[in-house]
Amino acid sequence: MSFMGNLQQLGRAFMLPMIVLPAAAVFLSLSQLPWDYIGLPDMSQHLRAASDVIFLYLPYIFAVGIALGMTGNALSAGLASLVGMFIYSGITSSANPDIETTVLIGAIIGIASGMSHERFKDLRLPEYIQFFGGPRFVPLFMSVMSLLFAIGMINFAPQLEHLLIALGKLTEESGGFGVFLFGFIQRILVIFGLHHLVSHVFWFQIGGYETAAGNIVYGDLPRFFAGDPTAGSYMAGLYPTMMFALPAIAFAIIHEAREDLKPKIRKTFLYAALASFLTGVTEPVEFAFLFVAPYLYIVHAILSGIIMWVTYELGILHGFSFSAGAIDYLLNQHLATRGWLILPIGIVVSVLYYTLFRWAIRRFRIPTPGREEGSQLDEWAGDIPYRAPLILQAIGGKQNIVQMESCITRLRLKLANERVLDINALRSLGAAGVIQLGGGHVQVVFGTYSELIRAEMLKAIQRDQEQVLFHSPMQGRMIPLEEVPDPIFSGKLVGQGVAFLPDRGELVSPVKGTIMHIYPTMHALGIRTPEGLEVLLHIGIDTSGLAGKGYFEAMVGEGDEVTPGMLLVRFNLQRIRKESKSLATPMVITNPDMVQSWRYAPFKAVKKGQSSVMSVVLKERNSGGERK
């Protein structure tokens, strides 16, 4: 496993336990309401206790969450981390009641449990004690390791606590530049999905604060919710970026889109802007320009750091439980210091970002979505059940998946063979970006639909239906069969399928199969797949009369075996365009009675041989071998 792959997995694991923190923030905010007026005088106390207990047991939550996140929710790893925390806290508290069980300790035990599971999950012991082998060995191993770790920490823990407090003082002494550096690095690490690692250090480790109950909490985030009047400097500056800067970018992209594409782009990016403003989920907007203008992303990262520096210098302190969106802003405003200043700062930031990005997109002709050859960012929640099997094909099928998890905005994959990944197909299917970290570790950014996509992909894997997957037979644009200017094809009298408008004069095989027939003029041919599907490829409309070597040249013969992407026919694109009714090239299944269901990718530009443009599920066979 590569170093970057390890960091990616660890970053995803750190995100899992943070899911519970919004509940603590909501409980704390609700505890401020006047419950006495509705006859519930104890409700404020109950809500405050519910919030406090989440932060009290935060080290345990992080230990279990990290262990589960690193192992794909392996229960033995989660149990091992929990047992490890009990052993650690029991030994250290009995030896020295002043030793606090911190989130850092929870993270260490969680990481150790996850690594132990990956190391010992396939452990084979002698047959008479094999019951304790494999995953069952992990809790036993971590019990011993936690015992030794706790004994070692009895003397070291006080020094560690002093170190964390000293680091907090050091970061405070670094002033605004330290806050700027944090903001800049965090935005850069968003690209690789590793921003949780650097955020975790500042939000949950550095700086200590003793609560009224005598407990010491560490990190900017727990200190903020515990009432530390100095906490919040590493969170406040993120609010203007997420609530105002990213939505401004979204509006700039909308206004610079072509007029014919503006309705679709407006819908997509209004949703992305709203997600960033309300919840602080920024990747759908950031990835819209990251790959087409990385230098502009660097400018964005620098500006994000400067914004944090400004909020620091103005003495603004604010915090969040999930991310710096409007929901968290309103929920936690009662704990903030000068939090109201975030709003006027945000307005200035939005004007700056909107002006800068509109100018840059137009000046440097950046192909953002909605412009020529723009990057893809689709809004397609209703199509997820249909596109998930195509996404599965684009990543190489279920046999290529070693591990698949999802976080808020991206699928995190470990692939057996990274080379079979079809990035063009994934972009066509709605991915805002594909990040390859090496060692088979890949992130596919689908925005907030990532978890739904993962669930549908798992359903497709579990169903294991017999299906045939189609690649694009040419470079150009895929169109619905109904748009072909020929009533025979558009009426689906020949068969059902899709069509393509070619940009180049090459036809390649969309499937594995055998050439059944090649027409004398070589403008059309038929392929039979191993499953028995008969696929007709017909280059252009009214092209059967274009005879001669100057039009079509077949590169295969009848009876030849073909595979996806293999060249079938070369044709003279310009001559055929002039002398035919249309270049529309139908790809139809002429025996559609074999098909149970059809799935199509979005009708847009495709590359030659691109996977996942269409798939069909075949009808089940009866006992006699015939299709039902």
Side-chain angles (χ1 to χ4, degrees):
M1 185 181 291
S2 69
F3 176 70
M4 288 295 290
N6 278 315
L7 289 180
Q8 172 199 253
Q9 189 174 23
L10 187 58
R12 174 180 56 82
F14 272 118
M15 191 59 194
L16 181 60
M18 292 185 66
I19 295 173
V20 303
L21 293 180
V26 171
F27 293 152
L28 184 60
S29 181
L30 291 177
S31 70
Q32 308 297 315
L33 297 178
W35 293 100
D36 294 343
Y37 289 102
I38 58 174
L40 296 172
D42 296 330
M43 183 58 71
S44 293
Q45 181 181 348
H46 297 332
L47 290 167
R48 178 73 192 211
S51 176
D52 289 345
V53 79
I54 290 177
F55 286 105
L56 178 64
Y57 289 103
L58 202 58
Y60 297 83
I61 294 170
F62 267 85
V64 176
I66 290 172
L68 294 175
M70 291 184 65
T71 59
N73 297 324
L75 296 181
S76 60
L79 176 62
S81 66
L82 192 58
V83 170
M85 288 296 293
F86 286 147
I87 292 173
Y88 174 87
S89 61
I91 293 175
T92 54
S93 61
S94 63
N96 184 352
D98 293 331
I99 296 178
E100 298 283 345
T101 302
T102 66
V103 172
L104 176 60
I105 298 300
I108 292 173
I109 291 179
I111 292 170
S113 300
M115 295 176 65
S116 299
H117 178 271
E118 295 305 298
R119 174 66 179 84
F120 298 118
K121 64 182 179 181
D122 298 318
L123 177 67
R124 298 189 64 84
L125 297 174
E127 186 174 350
Y128 52 88
I129 56 171
Q130 178 54 35
F131 175 81
F132 298 103
R136 294 188 186 95
F137 183 75
V138 179
L140 297 176
F141 176 79
M142 280 305 301
S143 297
V144 176
M145 294 304 297
S146 298
L147 170 66
L148 299 176
F149 179 58
I151 294 173
M153 286 295 291
I154 289 174
N155 294 320
F156 181 67
Q159 285 76 15
L160 178 62
E161 292 181 0
H162 293 318
L163 176 63
L164 293 175
I165 295 173
L167 285 175
K169 292 180 179 178
L170 182 63
T171 55
E172 289 178 7
E173 291 173 0
S174 65
F177 180 74
V179 178
F180 160 81
L181 203 58
F182 167 76
F184 172 75
I185 293 175
Q186 196 213 39
R187 294 333 296 165
I188 293 296
L189 290 180
V190 165
I191 301 171
F192 307 101
L194 304 177
H195 50 300
H196 306 306
L197 297 180
V198 67
S199 298
H200 185 271
V201 174
F202 288 89
W203 292 348
F204 296 100
Q205 306 297 342
I206 294 179
Y209 174 70
E210 185 173 354
T211 66
N215 299 316
I216 299 179
V217 293
Y218 296 91
D220 208 37
L221 193 151
R223 289 192 293 118
F224 176 80
F225 285 100
D228 185 350
T230 66
S233 57
Y234 289 95
M235 295 181 287
L238 293 173
Y239 277 109
T241 297
M242 297 182 178
M243 287 176 57
F244 295 94
L246 273 301
I249 295 174
F251 281 103
I253 291 174
I254 292 171
H255 294 152
E256 286 300 319
R258 288 180 0 215
E259 288 300 323
D260 58 322
L261 296 178
K262 268 187 180 178
K264 180 180 179 181
I265 295 300
R266 183 181 295 110
K267 179 181 179 182
T268 299
F269 278 89
L270 281 178
Y271 284 137
L274 194 61
S276 181
F277 178 77
L278 289 177
T279 68
V281 175
T282 63
E283 282 95 328
V285 177
E286 288 177 316
F287 278 82
F289 67 92
L290 167 63
F291 295 103
V292 294
Y295 53 87
L296 197 55
Y297 190 89
I298 298 295
V299 174
H300 163 56
I302 294 172
L303 287 175
S304 298
I306 293 174
I307 292 168
M308 292 201 69
W309 195 341
V310 170
T311 59
Y312 175 84
E313 295 296 341
L314 291 176
I316 301 172
L317 299 172
H318 211 310
F320 48 77
S321 59
F322 174 69
S323 190
I327 295 175
D328 258 304
Y329 176 82
L330 294 174
L331 281 175
N332 305 315
Q333 174 63 20
H334 64 284
L335 298 174
T337 300
R338 308 188 76 187
W340 63 271
L341 280 175
I342 288 174
L343 299 180
I345 291 173
I347 293 173
V348 174
V349 165
S350 64
V351 173
L352 171 65
Y353 263 79
Y354 178 80
T355 305
L356 172 64
F357 271 76
R358 282 207 71 175
W359 172 81
I361 291 170
R362 188 176 301 176
R363 173 66 176 81
F364 300 107
R365 299 182 180 179
I366 299 173
T368 49
R371 296 168 63 84
E372 291 78 10
E373 303 298 324
S375 59
Q376 303 295 342
L377 185 63
D378 217 345
E379 198 287 309
W380 45 281
D383 291 340
I384 288 175
Y386 302 98
R387 294 201 201 180
L390 298 174
I391 294 170
L392 184 62
Q393 181 195 359
I395 63 178
K398 64 179 182 180
Q399 68 279 359
N400 197 36
I401 299 176
V402 177
Q403 185 175 351
M404 178 173 63
E405 295 293 336
S406 62
C407 65
I408 298 171
T409 58
R410 61 189 84 189
L411 286 178
R412 296 174 182 263
L413 305 165
K414 174 70 184 301
L415 303 180
N417 183 0
E418 197 173 332
R419 290 177 295 180
V420 302
L421 190 74
D422 193 329
I423 295 177
N424 287 321
L426 289 170
R427 287 183 177 276
S428 176
L429 289 164
V434 179
I435 305 166
Q436 296 172 272
L437 298 175
H441 291 274
V442 175
Q443 297 178 1
V444 187
V445 181
F446 280 111
T448 51
Y449 299 124
S450 296
E451 178 56 37
L452 297 176
I453 293 169
R454 175 181 174 273
E456 289 297 332
M457 289 173 66
L458 290 175
K459 289 179 184 178
I461 292 172
Q462 292 166 359
R463 283 195 297 264
D464 198 25
Q465 296 170 312
E466 186 178 8
Q467 59 181 320
V468 180
L469 307 170
F470 286 77
H471 296 241
S472 172
M474 51 181 49
Q475 179 167 313
R477 185 166 64 89
M478 188 169 81
I479 61 173
L481 201 60
E482 292 81 358
E483 293 184 11
V484 175
D486 182 276
I488 302 297
F489 284 111
S490 62
K492 302 180 181 179
L493 301 180
V494 177
Q496 189 167 337
V498 294
F500 300 84
L501 296 174
D503 292 337
R504 295 182 182 178
E506 291 181 333
L507 180 75
V508 301
S509 178
V511 290
K512 177 182 178 182
T514 305
I515 301 296
M516 294 190 306
H517 180 66
I518 301 179
Y519 286 78
T521 55
M522 295 177 284
H523 74 289
L525 53 82
I527 303 173
R528 183 189 298 274
T529 72
E531 298 80 8
L533 287 181
E534 296 176 358
V535 182
L536 172 66
L537 295 165
H538 191 287
I539 304 172
I541 302 302
D542 291 346
T543 53
S544 58
L546 302 180
K549 293 184 179 180
Y551 294 100
F552 305 96
E553 180 184 5
M555 311 305 293
V556 293
E558 293 182 359
D560 286 355
E561 300 290 330
V562 295
T563 56
M566 181 180 293
L567 184 61
L568 303 178
V569 178
R570 295 187 190 276
F571 56 95
N572 191 316
L573 187 70
Q574 301 305 324
R575 290 190 64 182
I576 295 172
R577 176 182 282 116
K578 292 179 181 178
E579 301 181 35
S580 66
K581 183 177 181 180
S582 171
L583 284 172
T585 300
M587 177 180 73
V588 297
I589 296 174
T590 57
N591 53 346
D593 55 300
M594 292 182 60
V595 178
Q596 175 179 311
S597 61
W598 305 72
R599 299 184 179 97
Y600 306 102
F603 296 102
K604 55 181 63 172
V606 292
K607 300 290 185 181
K608 180 181 66 176
Q610 177 179 310
S611 64
S612 308
V613 297
M614 183 178 81
S615 72
V616 297
V617 174
L618 302 182
K619 294 180 179 178
E620 296 181 4
R621 298 176 185 270
N622 58 27
S623 58
E626 297 180 353
R627 301 279 175 185
K628 293 181 181 180

